[in-house]
Amino acid sequence: MVSDRQKELTALLDRAAKAYEQENREIMSNFEYDRLYDELLSLEKESGTVLSGSPTHKAGYEILSELPKFKHETPCLSLDKTKSVDTLISWLGEHEGVLSWKMDGLTIVLTYENGELVRAVTRGNGEVGEIITGNAKVFANIPLKIDFKGSLTIRGEAVIKYSDFERINYSISNPDEKYKNPRNLCSGTVRQLNSRITAQRNVNLFAFTLFSASGDDRYDTDFKTVEEGFLFLEKLGFTVVERKIVSSGNLADAVEYFKNKIVTNDFPSDGLVIVLNDIAYGKSLGTTAKFPRNAMAFKWQDETAHTVIREVFWSASRTGLINPVAVFDPVELEGTTVTRASLHNVSITEELGIGIGDEVSVYKANMIIPQIADNFTRSGNLEIPATCPVCGGATEIKDSDGNRFLYCTNPKCTAKKLKSFSLFVSRDAMNIDGVSEQTLERFISEGFIHEYADLYKLSAYRDKIVKMEGFGKKSYENLMASVEKSRVCEPAAFVYSLGIPNVGKETAKLISASVGGDFVRMRSLSAEDLRAVPMIGDVIAGSYADFMADAENNRIIDDLLEFVTFTAPSEKTSDALSGMTFVVTGSLNVFKNRDELKKYIEDNGGKVTGSVTGNTDFLINNDVNSTSTKNRKARESGVEIISEDDFIERFGKPQID
């Protein structure tokens, strides 16, 4: 008999998997998903019935994209999994296995005919995938031609490395537009309708299966082992996933090797995969409805610790969402001290029966994010606040995707200003280093800041700040030094920091340049004055003039001017680079950073852009021979690539302190 709980779990896990796989978002932690999955599996075995939509018996979901579809010749099944090394050893038995990373990206099937890449297809729902051949051809490390004249098909994982993920997010000034994690970014990148965007993001593919190879008499492709296939792929030029040959005797040591190495990896991984090395034996085992029997996934056993909840505070965000955060007695997890964990929403606090004084177990999801695994007391005495902790406005609970969330109903709630604060402190604005969005949110929640000028009054809260988790005396001193440094700024950066609608950093520079960097004049410019500035139209002119005419905006500016002064107007050194467009990438040796080189180019009449196009004159990269996306694009477009030394030799050496 099918229980109500089985129906509930089937629907819940189906919704969670759909959100994760199709919409690139998460509605529950990995720990919670695994726990509920195991519970559902047990109920299905008990009842002997599997409901439609059960994640235990389907490999994926229908695809919702505009990309062409392709039916896989052989289904791409998912893998059975375990968190127990002993289970892995027992499964391997007396056989030999190949242990490798389980990468956290997007599975791709590549097909080559007569040495040419003819098709690339995503895993999709396991039966039908999406054709992304044009995008695969601009992956950073895929060979477009191989020395194999027959037909060859491989499977691999497309990933965006952490270093590239951070580079891409660093280039995005708006915190709301930053990407959540490398997997989400990779999923969207691989399925782009414009391959140019894919090329800019440096996707890498790691081959993990040689699926088939035939038709080239020069090679004996009747491989007996998986390892032979991997060696063959490496010979053809593919990047193959790192691996170790294992037996039951050394499997535990191999798992430990990978576990120790994961902290230094530049690519995302959520576990390991073991596959039987003997291909014929592995095939003889066949498959279940969902899993192949010749392989198994291993997910890291989360380190947990018991502690006691002492407080739950409610953190308001820019959207009005108020999230509960549990504060508990300090515990050591994965080498660090942990004292708090997000409870995410009202539903989770209710499901866990959270209350003050409860004994709970905590862990770090993917060894990084603190989470509560279980509540042993379940007192359920937590009170949901009726008022916002920041503005005191009324709160309400809203349902979304079957979960309950607490929101502030006050449209003028200070917490909703987080987005504007994030822009204000960003690198291209006031450049207050070390003030992350998380820090801003905490300062807002604690009532330290209500408007921009309050950032210059943080010394009043010194004692409270140094006691905050992640701060301390040194962090506080660094913060205040950065705030102090920001008190002298360029007028254009100040204007950009105000968040004037339609006025970005480049527009702010144009406005500043039109009046020689005189902020008094900038502040009094009319729409008519602005329309006379090249590249500024009616919309921008109107937005700027309306903003500067608003009494409340002027009060905010006046408050800031009590703390902020401006640098002397920057004078253009020369017109030596007039009409030239540059792109700067990589590290520098003479200039302190790319911003300093950019300023030097602009001061001499040149222009700096972020991407290489047909209008680019020079790409500056000290690694001239790099195979990076920008270097490759420059070569394709006929753009000259020069080093920093080449630039100095051609255009003069700057006077740098």
Side-chain angles (χ1 to χ4, degrees), residues 310-476:
R310 300 302 180 185
E311 175 190 359
V312 172
F313 72 85
W314 295 80
S315 175
S317 73
R318 62 186 176 279
T319 62
L321 178 65
I322 305 175
N323 292 314
V325 179
V327 180
F328 40 75
D329 293 338
V331 291
E332 292 293 320
L333 284 175
E334 310 293 350
T336 62
T337 302
V338 178
T339 61
R340 64 181 63 196
S342 173
L343 292 167
H344 303 291
N345 56 53
V346 173
S347 291
I348 289 179
T349 66
E350 293 172 340
E351 289 170 6
L352 287 171
I354 294 295
I356 308 304
D358 283 358
E359 182 182 353
V360 297
S361 62
V362 296
Y363 74 106
K364 279 189 176 181
N366 291 328
M367 303 185 184
I368 299 173
I369 309 299
Q371 303 281 339
I372 290 181
D374 202 358
N375 182 0
F376 306 107
T377 309
R378 295 184 177 268
S379 67
N381 63 25
L382 181 66
E383 293 185 11
I384 310 300
T387 58
C388 173
V390 176
C391 70
T395 62
E396 66 173 341
I397 294 176
K398 298 180 181 180
D399 288 336
S400 177
D401 284 327
N403 289 296
R404 286 152 47 85
F405 298 87
L406 187 68
Y407 283 89
C408 172
T409 61
N410 177 12
K412 295 184 178 181
C413 177
T414 306
K416 297 178 182 180
K417 294 183 178 179
L418 180 59
K419 181 177 179 179
S420 60
F421 274 109
S422 296
L423 173 63
F424 184 83
V425 303
S426 66
R427 181 185 54 166
D428 294 319
M430 298 304 287
N431 193 23
I432 303 180
D433 190 33
V435 185
S436 65
E437 186 170 311
Q438 182 181 13
T439 298
L440 287 170
E441 194 163 9
R442 290 165 67 184
F443 284 178
I444 290 171
S445 298
E446 296 289 343
F448 298 164
I449 54 176
H450 300 278
E451 57 183 56
Y452 301 141
D454 292 334
L455 287 163
Y456 297 93
K457 306 173 187 176
L458 286 172
S459 58
Y461 302 100
R462 178 193 179 281
D463 291 344
K464 291 184 178 180
I465 293 174
V466 296
K467 293 179 181 178
M468 292 174 66
E469 183 180 0
F471 267 86
K473 184 178 179 181
K474 184 63 176 177
S475 296
Y476 170 80

Side-chain angles (χ1 to χ4, degrees), residues 143-160:
L144 300 182
K145 295 183 179 182
I146 58 175
D147 183 24
F148 189 79
K149 303 307 180 183
S151 177
L152 181 139
T153 300
I154 73 165
R155 292 175 181 174
E157 194 82 355
V159 300
I160 288 181

Side-chain angles (χ1 to χ4, degrees), residues 27 35 100 126 168 207 209 246 285 331 393 454 532 547 551 557 570 650-651:
I27 63 174
R35 184 179 69 81
S100 62
I168 293 166
T209 300
V246 295
L285 298 178
V331 291
D454 292 334
F547 184 93
I557 292 172
S570 176
R650 292 191 191 193
F651 304 112

Side-chain angles (χ1 to χ4, degrees), residues 227-291:
E227 176 63 11
E228 288 175 3
F230 280 152
L231 293 173
F232 179 64
L233 289 179
E234 288 176 334
K235 181 178 180 180
L236 293 178
F238 292 96
T239 303
V240 178
V241 66
E242 182 185 7
R243 62 202 183 275
K244 284 184 173 294
I245 306 298
V246 295
S247 65
S248 58
N250 69 354
L251 180 53
D253 290 339
V255 170
E256 190 67 20
Y257 163 82
F258 283 107
K259 182 178 181 180
N260 291 333
K261 193 171 182 182
I262 193 172
V263 296
T264 61
N265 278 350
D266 192 27
F267 54 81
S269 168
D270 56 359
L272 303 172
V273 171
I274 187 170
V275 59
L276 294 173
N277 200 21
D278 187 324
I279 294 175
Y281 176 70
K283 286 182 177 179
S284 73
L285 298 178
T287 68
T288 68
K290 183 177 180 181
F291 307 125

Side-chain angles (χ1 to χ4, degrees), residues 6 9-11 13-14 17 33 37 40-41 44 49-61 290:
Q6 184 176 337
L9 288 174
T10 298
L13 291 174
D14 182 75
Y33 184 91
Y37 181 101
L40 175 60
L41 194 61
E44 288 175 344
T49 302
V50 178
L51 298 173
S52 174
S54 171
T56 68
H57 278 68
K58 68 176 184 177
Y61 288 89
K290 183 177 180 181

